[in-house]
Structures are given as C-alpha cells and as structure tokens.
Amino acid sequence: MKIWLLRLRILSTALMLYSCQATGNLHPLILVPGNGGNQLEARLTRGYKPTSLVCNRWYPLVKQKDGWFRLWFDPSVLLAPFTECFADRMMLHYNEESDDYFNAIGVETRVPNFGSTQSLLYLDPNLKHVTEYMATLVESLEEIGYVDGETLFGAPYDFRYGLAAEGHPSKIGTKFLQDLKELIEKASSVNGGKPVIILSHSLGGLFVLQLLNRNPPSWRKKFIKHFVALSAPWGGAIEVMLTFASGNTLGVPLVDPLLVREEQRSSESNLWLLPNPIIFGTKQLVITPNASYSANEIAQFLENIGFSEGIHPYKSRILPLIEKTIAPEIPITCIIGSGVRTAETLLYRRNGYDEQPEIVYGDGDGTVNMASLLALESLWTGNKNQYVKVIRIGGVSHTSILKQDIALDEIIGEISCINSNAMRTAV
C-alpha cells in the first residue's frame, strides 16, 4: 500500500510540474534568508576594547586591507579562545534611554552583496560543503530560468536585529524593510512592471509579513504577486527559550553553549522569536524544581534565568508587535517540514540553567513547533480575503527544506505554478 501511495505522489508531482511549466516570462523573485542565513562582516574602530590579548592580536585570522573581516560565519569560532572574541563582537546592547539596539562600542558591521544571492549561497565560500545555505535552492531556481541580478535577487540583512511595535524605534530593522521595499520596486521595474514573488526562509518570513502590513493595499497589489514562506516561525519557537536559558550551539560542534549565551540573549531578533502567548497559551514550556513557565510568563522566565535587562524591551517592544497577526490580503503559501522531533518542553532537574535540560519532544521541523508553523492557517480561518495554503512535507527539517529533493520539488513546483497563474492544491 505504501509503495502505491509513493508512486501516486510521484505521479501527482510530475503532472503538477507538467501543468505548471514556468515560461521564460518569469515574475521576478526575491529571496529573504532566515536567522544566520547570510554572511555578515565587521570592522573594528579605535573605540573597540578587546576582552583579551588573543582577541587583540590573533582574531580574526584574516582581514581585508581596509579592515573588514567575515564575522559570520567564521570557522575559527570553533576554537574556545576565539569563541569569546566572536561573541563579544556579535553582542548587541539595548539602550533604554534611546529605546533601541546598537552594536558593541568600536564594532562596525555591514551586510555584503545586498540585491544579489551571493551572500546567501554559503556562509563561508571557502567551506562550501559545510556552510551551504541556499546554494542548492538557487541552483534549482536557475534550472527553471531564473538569473541572479536579472530575475532573481537576494535580500540579506543583519539578522541580530529585529523590529519593534509602533511607536518604538528600530533603526536597523526598519532600514532593512525600506531597502527590501526598494529592491522589490526595482526588481519589478526592470522586469516590465511584473509583480514580485517573495520567497523567505524562517525569520525572513516575519520580516516580510511586517513589510507587507506596513505598506498600503495599493502598493501590495501593484508589487507583490505571491509570498512563499518556508519554515516560518509565525508564533516563535520553544527552542528559543533554551537559547536564552542555557545557550544554544545551533548544531555547531565543539562550541560551549555558555560562551555564546550572553551574545544570544542580546539579540533583538531572538526576543522576537520567543513563544507567542496567543499561539502557545498556558501550556507549560519550561519546568524547573521551583517554577514552570508558559508563553504567558516569559517576563518572569527572563527574570529567573538572570536576564532581567531583557524584560523591558520584551514587554514594551515585542509583546505589542506579536499580539495581533494581520492578514495582508495577498496570496501566501507556507511550505513546512513535519514529523521531526522538536523541543516541546524543557525540564531542568536542578536549580540553575548552566546545564542543558532534558527535552520532551513533539511535532515540528526540528526547530519550530507545529503550532507555530501552522499559526497563519489557524489565526486566519474564515478570512475570505486572505488566501493561505499550507504544504506539509514529512521528515524534512527546518534547514534541510532548502536542500532535500522532495522539498525542492514542492518549492519549484509552487513557484512554477505561480508563474503560470495556475493554483494547485497541497499534496
């Protein structure tokens, strides 16, 4: 029976691709990466005070003539002395008086190759095999006719920064939205005025949704053809509570999570990715001998893990931002992985967060919980003006969705159908 179901799926995919062949008259497409999904460069000024002699003399190992160096991803971060240097330079600081986030003193950062896909392909071009990000996806798009810089564009950004609720400044994140808006308009203009397809991954989907809702319907109708979101954490992720409590190596080997914990806590975008109370409600997500925490108790959680400085920006900037998810009324397709063990509850047996917890797993894509991946579908049920389609792919993880053949077939099939103005139902 399973063999026949597999054959039926292959046949249906083949028929779909045949009926939705992308022509040479493609809609321009913009890729928006996720958290940590593009290269980031830094340069040190005279105001920088190194935390150690190693950071002063030996890190980074390679610099350009004008002082710029690759901050993310630099493989030397795997070595413990350099891990601390890396974390110190990645650190953000929240200034309560100006109500915004800033780099560490003496550290300048920039995002290379905005508008191109180049900084999205590999996090380190010298280590293509181990730092590949969107290279396979881009190759698949090129196979149906997309060309970098002509019909295909990339929108990398400084993923440490996020956005804030109305009335609060968010200089870096807001600047990215403006740059993305201008890139959309340029891509449309150089392609005969055709509206743009936006294809995001992970955190990029949250930025795109904010962009759409911060611009008028007339702009959206003119410039946006379709929004395809891969692995979007619409309601945050429980794993981010682990990041704040105990540090998270994100799968990078040899790194002590405690060495990067403070840097990860300082990230504005990580605050944005904490579980949304509307999606996760009263379910206990973190359990310790003395207390337990739901998404409604994030502020108390931040206090008890020793990150009280995060409470004010979380309450004032993040909670009002996530309390209502507005439908932009343009077509949206969510393509998600499922059936992958995903952190559902964190169990701390001792009083303290310096050790990694026991984890109870549930459904999701290995990073984002299923409730979060399906949030738009559940929140907008009954909204006749908002088209939302969800395509689930069993056994595909949060990042492998960009590489596995079964996932790429779904993504390219959807892009092809959008280009041919044909709607297909999820398999």
Side-chain angles (χ1 to χ4, degrees):
M1 184 66 177
K2 289 183 178 180
I3 295 175
W4 281 106
L5 287 173
L6 179 60
R7 289 175 177 173
L8 181 61
R9 181 183 180 87
I10 294 172
L11 178 60
S12 65
T13 301
L15 289 173
M16 174 273 298
L17 289 171
Y18 178 78
S19 62
C20 294
Q21 288 292 325
T23 66
N25 194 27
L26 297 168
H27 285 268
L29 189 148
I30 295 176
L31 295 171
V32 183
N35 196 353
N38 56 259
Q39 298 166 26
L40 186 64
E41 296 180 345
R43 180 169 64 181
L44 306 179
T45 69
R46 292 182 178 179
Y48 176 71
K49 293 181 172 55
T51 54
S52 70
L53 183 63
V54 170
C55 296
N56 188 34
R57 287 192 173 184
W58 303 107
Y59 184 83
L61 299 176
V62 179
K63 284 185 182 179
Q64 300 176 27
K65 289 183 179 180
D66 54 2
W68 289 99
F69 60 92
R70 182 175 294 107
L71 180 61
W72 180 259
F73 174 74
D74 178 7
S76 61
V77 71
L78 301 178
L79 304 175
F82 296 150
T83 305
E84 296 181 54
C85 307
F86 161 80
D88 181 59
R89 295 169 188 184
M90 283 284 284
M91 191 86 69
L92 294 185
H93 298 273
Y94 174 69
N95 185 300
E96 192 165 341
E97 184 176 343
S98 61
D99 187 26
D100 207 351
Y101 283 81
F102 301 91
N103 282 349
I105 294 174
V107 179
E108 296 179 352
T109 51
R110 70 182 184 185
V111 177
N113 300 310
F114 183 83
S116 168
T117 63
Q118 288 305 303
S119 71
L120 315 181
L121 304 178
Y122 309 95
L123 301 183
D124 184 344
N126 299 315
L127 295 170
K128 291 183 178 181
H129 181 68
V130 294
T131 68
E132 179 188 339
Y133 182 58
M134 283 190 171
T136 302
L137 172 61
V138 168
E139 288 173 6
S140 297
L141 290 167
E142 290 173 341
E143 286 176 3
I144 63 170
Y146 277 100
V147 178
D148 187 35
E150 297 180 13
T151 51
L152 181 62
F153 306 87
Y157 57 97
D158 192 332
F159 44 82
R160 300 170 301 159
Y161 290 89
L163 293 170
E166 185 178 358
H168 296 269
S170 188
K171 182 179 178 181
I172 302 298
T174 302
K175 174 67 164 55
F176 169 63
L177 290 192
Q178 182 59 38
D179 291 342
L180 178 55
K181 179 183 179 182
E182 292 174 2
L183 179 61
I184 290 169
E185 293 172 353
K186 176 185 175 182
S188 174
S189 176
V190 299
N191 283 276
K194 288 193 287 291
V196 170
I197 301 169
I198 304 179
L199 177 60
S200 70
H201 179 238
S202 192
L203 174 65
L206 303 190
F207 275 100
V208 173
L209 187 58
Q210 287 291 320
L211 171 73
L212 297 176
N213 285 325
R214 295 184 185 199
N215 283 282
S218 57
W219 183 89
R220 300 196 295 262
K221 184 177 180 180
K222 179 178 180 181
F223 289 107
I224 306 299
K225 172 69 174 176
H226 204 109
F227 173 25
V228 180
L230 312 179
S231 310
W234 305 116
I238 295 168
E239 184 180 274
V240 180
M241 298 183 79
L242 167 65
T243 300
F244 275 89
S246 305
N248 192 339
T249 64
L250 304 174
V252 178
L254 307 178
V255 174
D256 181 351
L258 297 181
L259 292 180
V260 294
R261 180 171 62 180
E262 290 305 311
E263 176 269 316
Q264 291 174 333
R265 288 177 174 181
S266 79
S267 167
E268 182 183 16
S269 58
N270 279 344
L271 272 184
W272 192 9
L273 291 171
L274 283 164
N276 187 327
I278 297 171
I279 304 302
F280 289 94
T282 60
K283 175 181 171 60
Q284 300 304 297
L285 309 179
V286 177
I287 299 174
T288 76
N290 295 326
S292 58
Y293 308 94
S294 70
N296 290 312
E297 295 153 331
I298 293 293
Q300 189 60 52
F301 167 75
L302 295 175
E303 175 75 39
N304 290 353
I305 65 172
F307 186 52
S308 58
E309 56 266 42
I311 296 173
H312 175 70
Y314 174 75
K315 283 185 171 181
S316 64
R317 297 165 60 87
I318 301 300
L319 275 179
L321 180 70
I322 65 176
E323 66 183 0
K324 189 175 182 181
T325 305
I326 301 171
E329 299 184 357
I330 62 107
I332 299 177
T333 299
C334 301
I335 304 180
I336 63 174
S338 65
V340 182
R341 293 199 321 160
T342 306
E344 194 83 20
T345 309
L346 310 178
L347 303 175
Y348 287 90
R349 301 298 187 184
R350 302 177 182 178
N351 291 319
Y353 298 94
D354 288 350
E355 296 183 4
Q356 294 291 303
E358 295 179 29
I359 299 176
V360 177
Y361 293 95
D363 195 8
D365 66 7
T367 299
V368 182
N369 309 89
M370 189 55 62
S372 179
L373 293 167
L374 297 176
L376 295 193
E377 187 179 53
S378 61
L379 290 172
W380 297 341
T381 298
N383 186 332
K384 296 180 180 179
N385 296 319
Q386 180 59 62
Y387 172 84
V388 179
K389 178 172 68 173
V390 176
I391 300 175
R392 298 194 199 197
I393 313 172
V396 171
S397 73
H398 191 72
T399 53
S400 68
I401 199 168
L402 301 171
K403 304 174 185 178
Q404 283 190 226
D405 289 343
I406 189 173
L408 292 172
D409 285 346
E410 292 286 1
I411 296 167
I412 299 304
E414 188 69 5
I415 297 298
S416 296
C417 282
I418 293 167
N419 272 294
S420 65
N421 291 313
M423 291 295 182
R424 66 188 180 104
T425 57
V427 177

